[in-house]
Amino acid sequence: MKKLALVLGSLLVVGSVASAKEVMPAPAPAPEKVIEYVEKPVIVYRDREVTPAWRPNGSVDVQYKWYGETENKTKKEDTDKDWAAGKNNAGRLQTETKVNFTEKQSLQVRTRNYQALRGTKGDSSDDQIRLRHFYNFGKLGSSKVNATSRLEYKQDGRDGGKKAEASVFFDFADYIYSNNFFKVEKFGLRTGYAHKWAGHDNDNTVERALVNFESEYTLPLGFSAELNVYNYYDWHHDKLAYADKKHEYNGELEAYIYQHTPLYKANNVELSFDFEGGYDPYAWHQHKVVDNGSGKGERASYSVYMLPTFQVAYKPTEFVKLYAAAGAEYRNWAVEANSTAKNWRWQPTAWAGMKVSF
């Protein structure tokens, strides 16, 4: 019995141990490691255009122009004074300098000197010097209107007529619709005041108030256009010779069309055909001041012209340009009264020059 009890006890202990192994929990798995990926910024360098710092700049343009005879007639040979242009067999040396001192301020100086050729008589009173100072105020407030002031001094040769003028131009071009076929380059009003005189006394002194419309346009096929309307109201020191008054209103209209057609272009050389023409100007006056040849004055006059030319330009460097042109101008040179304008005649002309930019 004791042996049987020992055997049964041994079996019971073995079975308990086996049952205990079966119910033991499985070991818990180790937690997974968390790996963090940190992206470092990568700097990529690309070629890019850097706007150079602004610096003063400008140009000097020296040009010599020749005026031929008006269809074989000089002013002296035109005994009826209804044919020839005022300048025949003459030359003109023009120098035009432009300097941009700052991004907003610039100065322009233009001189013209005329010489008689082939025995004709010259007149140094046609010589002229003109100075213009510009200051760009930029946009006015939050508007698109750009304002630019202009101070001008002009004097004719031999201590002739002089003019000092101050004006401001308000450009509304950004308000006008433009596209690839029609672009408004300039469109606005100029208002100002001018003082005109001659000699060194008060004789022939004129005070002038002005309100002008000025505009420029770019058109397709190499065309461009310009339209200006000038309105002046003058107060004279002395009474007018043609009216018993000291004040008067005058106006002028300029309307031009331009066209540029390249004919040949290779490397730094370009040959082109250029054309310009239009009203230059159509003028009207408060009083009858225009002589129509019948002894009666008129209030309006006009000159209409066209000037076709062939031009060649050569740029040996980026800053130097050489150019020359030849053609003929067709215009009513002498008779301009509104009712009697006539005698449109050809006058050959040519010019050459050099422009240096800096």
Side-chain angles (χ1 to χ4, degrees), residues 24 214 263 279 337:
M24 286 181 63
E214 302 174 12
L263 301 177
Y279 279 96

PDB file of all heavy atoms in Angstrom, residues 24 214 263 279 337:
ATOM      1  N   MET A  24       1.957  28.580 -18.043  1.00  0.00           N
ATOM      2  CA  MET A  24       2.881  29.707 -17.879  1.00  0.00           C
ATOM      3  C   MET A  24       2.757  30.665 -19.061  1.00  0.00           C
ATOM      4  O   MET A  24       2.746  30.242 -20.210  1.00  0.00           O
ATOM      5  CB  MET A  24       4.325  29.169 -17.799  1.00  0.00           C
ATOM      6  CG  MET A  24       4.652  28.494 -16.457  1.00  0.00           C
ATOM      7  SD  MET A  24       6.364  27.928 -16.422  1.00  0.00           S
ATOM      8  CE  MET A  24       7.204  29.482 -16.558  1.00  0.00           C
ATOM      9  N   GLU A 214       0.133 115.849 -74.973  1.00  0.00           N
ATOM     10  CA  GLU A 214       1.247 115.209 -75.658  1.00  0.00           C
ATOM     11  C   GLU A 214       1.078 113.693 -75.606  1.00  0.00           C
ATOM     12  O   GLU A 214       0.708 113.150 -74.552  1.00  0.00           O
ATOM     13  CB  GLU A 214       2.576 115.607 -75.005  1.00  0.00           C
ATOM     14  CG  GLU A 214       2.811 117.113 -74.989  1.00  0.00           C
ATOM     15  CD  GLU A 214       4.062 117.503 -74.219  1.00  0.00           C
ATOM     16  OE1 GLU A 214       4.863 116.597 -73.898  1.00  0.00           O
ATOM     17  OE2 GLU A 214       4.240 118.706 -73.927  1.00  0.00           O
ATOM     18  N   LEU A 263      16.219  96.723 -94.103  1.00  0.00           N
ATOM     19  CA  LEU A 263      16.456  96.115 -95.407  1.00  0.00           C
ATOM     20  C   LEU A 263      17.589  95.095 -95.374  1.00  0.00           C
ATOM     21  O   LEU A 263      17.552  94.106 -96.105  1.00  0.00           O
ATOM     22  CB  LEU A 263      16.787  97.206 -96.436  1.00  0.00           C
ATOM     23  CG  LEU A 263      15.709  98.283 -96.643  1.00  0.00           C
ATOM     24  CD1 LEU A 263      16.220  99.333 -97.629  1.00  0.00           C
ATOM     25  CD2 LEU A 263      14.413  97.663 -97.138  1.00  0.00           C
ATOM     26  N   TYR A 279       1.293 116.647 -90.213  1.00  0.00           N
ATOM     27  CA  TYR A 279       1.115 118.082 -89.980  1.00  0.00           C
ATOM     28  C   TYR A 279       2.240 118.590 -89.090  1.00  0.00           C
ATOM     29  O   TYR A 279       2.472 118.067 -88.007  1.00  0.00           O
ATOM     30  CB  TYR A 279      -0.230 118.346 -89.298  1.00  0.00           C
ATOM     31  CG  TYR A 279      -1.411 118.361 -90.235  1.00  0.00           C
ATOM     32  CD1 TYR A 279      -2.188 117.219 -90.412  1.00  0.00           C
ATOM     33  CD2 TYR A 279      -1.749 119.505 -90.947  1.00  0.00           C
ATOM     34  CE1 TYR A 279      -3.277 117.218 -91.267  1.00  0.00           C
ATOM     35  CE2 TYR A 279      -2.838 119.521 -91.805  1.00  0.00           C
ATOM     36  CZ  TYR A 279      -3.599 118.376 -91.961  1.00  0.00           C
ATOM     37  OH  TYR A 279      -4.674 118.379 -92.813  1.00  0.00           O
ATOM     38  N   ALA A 337      -0.900 129.589 -95.634  1.00  0.00           N
ATOM     39  CA  ALA A 337      -2.212 130.075 -95.199  1.00  0.00           C
ATOM     40  C   ALA A 337      -3.273 129.008 -95.455  1.00  0.00           C
ATOM     41  O   ALA A 337      -3.220 128.282 -96.461  1.00  0.00           O
ATOM     42  CB  ALA A 337      -2.569 131.367 -95.922  1.00  0.00           C
TER      43      ALA A 337
END
